[in-house]
């Protein structure tokens, strides 16, 4: 199987999701977080992928927030990748939402505990289709938007990233080997907020001309059974 075919089927073939936190200044401010001196990342399980048209399941007791993001799909694996070489390791992109159990996150942050459960619930990574790199002229000049029930909640530009894509790839690969089909979530602009059962969510990724490169749609429902969060 070729590298590109693995990348194009990253939802089924990829081994990990590496998610960057605190990469947009306005988002840092809205959650009263501190900026970081270097890229900050966490992992999400690939079992959290939810293809467009699916239903996000909100666990009992959880306040779930949306975070729309640009995803990078790795086409050529590597370790200690330089910023100059980073572009050659990208196969393409994808529109994604990093769903977050916000009230649970607030609790574990106070205790200094990991975020794995906060970010890793099944269905907590709604994901669009693979976008070949050739379709994107400048990944730092794209518009990310998210609507809930037709109302715009997030509308930002990837040009506002604090740490740009080559720096992200350099940093992550200096710690963890990147592999074909891995997805890097590059952070979310401001406007994050709750998703409730019954909501209809529509996301879009557009270039500077307004051309829509990708759309992602899903609904939300209450999960029956499974984990229940009690503060």
């Amino acid at each position: 199987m070729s590298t590109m075919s693995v990348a194009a089927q990253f939802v089924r073939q990829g081994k990990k999701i590496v998610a960057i936190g605190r990469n947009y200044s306005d988002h840092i401010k809205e959650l009263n977080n501190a900026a970081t001196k270097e890229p900050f990342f966490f992992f999400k399980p690939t079992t959290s992928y939810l293809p467009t048209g699916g239903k996000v399941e909100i666990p009992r007791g959880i306040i779930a927030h949306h975070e729309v993001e640009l995803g990078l799909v790795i086409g050529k694996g590597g370790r200690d990748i330089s910023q100059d070489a980073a572009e050659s390791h990208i196969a393409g992109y994808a529109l994604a939402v990093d769903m977050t159990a916000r009230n649970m996150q607030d609790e574990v942050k106070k205790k200094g505990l990991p975020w794995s459960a906060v970010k890793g619930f099944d269905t907590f990574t709604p994901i669009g289709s693979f976008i070949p790199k050739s379709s994107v002229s400048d990944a730092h000049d794209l518009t990310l938007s998210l609507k809930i029930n037709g109302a715009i909640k997030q509308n930002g530009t990837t040009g506002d990233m604090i740490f740009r894509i080559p720096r992200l790839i350099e940093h992550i690969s200096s710690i963890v080997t990147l592999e074909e089909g891995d997805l890097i979530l590059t952070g979310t602009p401001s406007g994050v907020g709750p998703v409730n059962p019954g909501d209809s969510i529509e996301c879009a990724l557009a270039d500077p001309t307004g051309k829509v490169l990708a759309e992602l749609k899903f609904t939300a429902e209450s999960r029956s059974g499974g984990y229940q969060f009690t503060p």
Side-chain angles (χ1 to χ4, degrees), residues 3-4 21 26-27 35-36 42-44 54 64 70 82 91-92 97 103 110 133 159 165 169 173 191 196 217 220 224:
T3 296
M4 285 304 296
D26 287 347
H27 174 58
T36 59
F42 52 91
F43 294 103
K44 298 189 66 157
L70 173 69
S82 69
V97 175
N103 55 339
K110 291 176 188 174
K133 183 167 66 174
I165 289 167
I169 291 174
S173 69
N196 298 304
K217 299 178 182 181
S224 59

Side-chain angles (χ1 to χ4, degrees), residues 2 6 8 19 34 41 53-54 56 63 77 85 112 140 159 164 181 185 195 207 221:
S2 71
V6 170
F41 68 87
V56 164
I63 297 172
H140 291 106
R164 295 171 80 82
L185 298 179
V195 171
D207 70 12
E221 65 180 12

Side-chain angles (χ1 to χ4, degrees), residues 173-202:
S173 69
S174 74
I175 299 170
V176 178
T177 296
L178 288 170
E179 300 170 281
E180 299 167 10
D182 285 349
L183 181 73
I184 299 175
L185 298 179
T186 57
T188 190
S190 62
V192 304
V195 171
N196 298 304
D199 282 346
S200 177
I201 299 91
E202 298 176 82

Side-chain angles (χ1 to χ4, degrees), residues 6-28:
V6 170
Q9 300 179 70
F10 71 95
V11 172
R12 286 185 292 166
Q13 301 281 348
K15 295 181 180 179
K16 58 184 174 289
I17 303 169
V18 186
I20 300 293
R22 305 179 189 178
N23 203 25
Y24 287 77
S25 296
D26 287 347
H27 174 58
I28 292 173

Side-chain angles (χ1 to χ4, degrees), residues 134-156:
S134 59
S135 298
V136 178
S137 58
D138 183 356
H140 291 106
D141 193 11
L142 301 173
T143 299
L144 289 164
S145 63
L146 180 145
K147 296 178 182 179
I148 297 181
N149 303 326
I152 294 177
K153 300 296 183 179
Q154 290 187 269
N155 189 33

Side-chain angles (χ1 to χ4, degrees), residues 32-179:
N32 295 314
N33 285 326
T36 59
K37 295 181 180 179
E38 62 184 14
F40 158 72
F41 68 87
F42 52 91
F43 294 103
K44 298 189 66 157
T46 54
T47 47
S48 68
Y49 277 135
L50 177 75
T52 188
K55 295 181 179 181
V56 164
E57 297 180 354
I58 301 175
R60 293 173 295 167
I62 290 295
I63 297 172
H65 275 203
H66 58 80
E67 300 184 4
V68 67
E69 311 203 8
L70 173 69
L72 310 178
V73 182
I74 296 298
K76 181 174 71 172
R79 183 187 187 201
D80 295 333
I81 300 165
S82 69
Q83 292 191 47
D84 288 343
E87 182 73 16
S88 68
H89 289 261
I90 300 171
Y93 303 91
L95 179 60
V97 175
D98 173 21
M99 293 296 299
T100 303
R102 190 70 72 201
N103 55 339
M104 187 181 189
Q105 185 184 45
D106 290 343
E107 288 294 316
V108 300
K109 281 167 66 176
K110 291 176 188 174
K111 299 173 183 177
L113 296 173
W115 296 8
S116 300
V118 168
K119 300 283 193 173
F121 286 105
D122 287 353
T123 75
F124 263 37
T125 310
I127 190 75
S129 57
F130 176 75
I131 306 166
K133 183 167 66 174
S134 59
S135 298
V136 178
S137 58
D138 183 356
H140 291 106
D141 193 11
L142 301 173
T143 299
L144 289 164
S145 63
L146 180 145
K147 296 178 182 179
I148 297 181
N149 303 326
I152 294 177
K153 300 296 183 179
Q154 290 187 269
N155 189 33
T157 172
T158 57
D160 289 339
M161 287 185 197
I162 297 170
F163 300 107
R164 295 171 80 82
I165 289 167
R167 175 73 177 106
L168 299 180
I169 291 174
E170 176 189 59
H171 180 72
I172 295 166
S173 69
S174 74
I175 299 170
V176 178
T177 296
L178 288 170
E179 300 170 281

